[in-house]
Amino acid sequence: MSAGRAPLVANYRGVICDLDGVVYRGSEAVPGAIAALNTVVAGVPVAFATNNASRPPAAVGRHLRRLGLEPAAWSVVTSAQAAAAYLAGRLSPGTPVLAVGGPGVADGLTEVGLTPLGVTELPGTTAVDAVVQGAGQEVSWRELAEVGYLVQAGAIWVATNLDATIPTSRGHAPGNGALVTAVRSTTAVVPHVTGKPNAALFDFARSRLGTERDATIVVGDRLETDIAGAHSAGLDSMFVLGGSSTLQDLAFAEKDSRPTYFAFGLSGLLQPALCRLEQTNGIVDLTPAGAIAVLAAVEPQRLLQAVITLAWDALDRGRVLLEDEEWWTVLERRMGVTRH
């Protein structure tokens, strides 16, 4: 695969961009992310699509503006909205739905004309037909137990996402996937999941952008959600280093989790595309032990391309690739990647 010298974003009419780990970590912006986004949104609409259903889109938008994102053609879509849209197609308007998670879950249901109920509002004798389970800092044992009771009684169970962790300014914290796993220990029922890596959230985001598949690119830092989800939705993708998935993860990615492009941050949208090369041009070589030997001093972008090209070629040919985590971390740092 080859790429031209024009900015990558010039090839697309819309961008679906992840938030946690790409634009910000907790309350702090990822270095350089807002400056890059302000340039992008000046010419191409962006839908910020997040699996984190705890906050309503309006609250996320306020956070982005506080970080310095300028008013332009951008919007926020969440897995809670995708979950609500799924139920709206199956339930009558006004139907009560148990909403577990942050305010974003209840707001999503209200937006589509359903009636969100908290655990303390559940009717004692009337059955509740559905439950939406999303992440939230105040989710309690009682709420998780009630989800289990309702699901066992036949309620539709929708999980906004199955992310095991969520990045914060202090590190990784339990995500909605961990809470769903707790409920699953009580029932054999499997929830319907609307967030990444399923296509529903990407389709919802594209509807906001008004773009066709071949004119839309997904940007994210998680191979198993953002990039795999782009594959499931039939979209091109750009993986950014420095977030949840590492250089080693990218090198060992299975074919359905490999991005179309990769970059060191959101500024990659404004630069010529970095993608798999036809050959590594003598920059790196694979040793008999499976380590990648760097043979030439080149800029980080060229080194990244060569390393990933060689790694994917090795995996596709059934060759051994070194799995030593410390070695890959050293190589990542050599490229200038920092983690927080």
Side-chain angles (χ1 to χ4, degrees), residues 101-190:
V105 176
D107 280 22
L109 292 167
T110 300
E111 187 178 274
V112 297
L114 298 173
T115 302
L117 298 178
V119 68
T120 60
E121 301 171 293
L122 290 176
T125 58
T126 304
V128 173
D129 293 333
V131 54
V132 175
Q133 183 179 357
Q137 294 183 1
E138 306 301 324
V139 173
S140 66
W141 177 91
R142 180 181 175 186
E143 287 176 303
L144 296 181
E146 198 61 56
V147 173
Y149 299 148
L150 291 173
V151 168
Q152 292 171 61
I156 301 172
W157 183 17
V158 183
T160 60
N161 67 287
L162 295 180
D163 293 355
T165 63
I166 185 171
T168 73
S169 58
R170 296 180 58 189
H172 285 90
N176 194 50
L179 304 181
V180 170
T181 297
V183 177
R184 284 214 60 196
S185 67
T186 70
T187 176
V189 179
V190 177

Side-chain angles (χ1 to χ4, degrees), residues 4-293:
R5 303 307 299 168
L8 173 58
V9 74
N11 299 316
Y12 299 93
R13 295 181 55 207
V15 177
I16 299 174
C17 186
D18 183 44
L19 285 168
D20 292 311
V22 175
V23 179
Y24 51 66
R25 298 185 185 96
S27 61
E28 302 297 323
V30 171
I34 298 299
L37 283 171
N38 279 330
T39 301
V40 171
V41 299
V44 178
V46 175
F48 295 103
T50 177
N51 264 2
N52 187 346
S54 61
R55 292 191 294 173
V60 178
R62 288 192 294 271
H63 183 191
L64 290 171
R65 288 190 291 273
R66 283 197 298 270
L67 293 176
L69 188 62
E70 297 172 358
W74 58 266
S75 59
V76 177
V77 295
T78 73
S79 57
Q81 288 178 299
Y86 172 80
L87 285 178
R90 288 156 179 78
L91 302 174
S92 301
T95 299
V97 178
L98 175 63
V100 172
V105 176
D107 280 22
L109 292 167
T110 300
E111 187 178 274
V112 297
L114 298 173
T115 302
L117 298 178
V119 68
T120 60
E121 301 171 293
L122 290 176
T125 58
T126 304
V128 173
D129 293 333
V131 54
V132 175
Q133 183 179 357
Q137 294 183 1
E138 306 301 324
V139 173
S140 66
W141 177 91
R142 180 181 175 186
E143 287 176 303
L144 296 181
E146 198 61 56
V147 173
Y149 299 148
L150 291 173
V151 168
Q152 292 171 61
I156 301 172
W157 183 17
V158 183
T160 60
N161 67 287
L162 295 180
D163 293 355
T165 63
I166 185 171
T168 73
S169 58
R170 296 180 58 189
H172 285 90
N176 194 50
L179 304 181
V180 170
T181 297
V183 177
R184 284 214 60 196
S185 67
T186 70
T187 176
V189 179
V190 177
H192 177 82
V193 183
T194 55
K196 311 169 196 177
N198 296 317
L201 182 56
F202 297 98
D203 292 340
F204 188 79
R206 269 200 316 110
S207 72
R208 291 290 180 90
L209 292 170
T211 54
E212 300 297 324
R213 284 185 173 83
D214 61 359
T216 310
I217 186 170
V218 174
V219 180
D221 68 320
R222 285 181 180 253
L223 294 170
E224 73 279 13
T225 55
D226 301 312
I227 307 306
H231 274 276
S232 70
L235 304 173
D236 287 349
S237 61
M238 185 184 83
F239 169 79
V240 296
L241 282 162
S244 293
S245 297
T246 65
L247 177 65
Q248 182 177 9
D249 295 329
L250 178 61
F252 280 86
E254 300 292 337
K255 289 184 178 181
D256 61 357
S257 294
R258 291 177 184 174
T260 319
Y261 310 101
F262 31 81
F264 292 107
L266 282 169
S267 60
L269 288 170
L270 304 172
Q271 300 166 354
L274 297 181
C275 55
R276 186 175 186 171
L277 300 168
E278 294 182 1
Q279 56 185 3
T280 59
N281 300 319
I283 298 172
V284 294
D285 196 9
L286 194 66
T287 71
I292 295 179

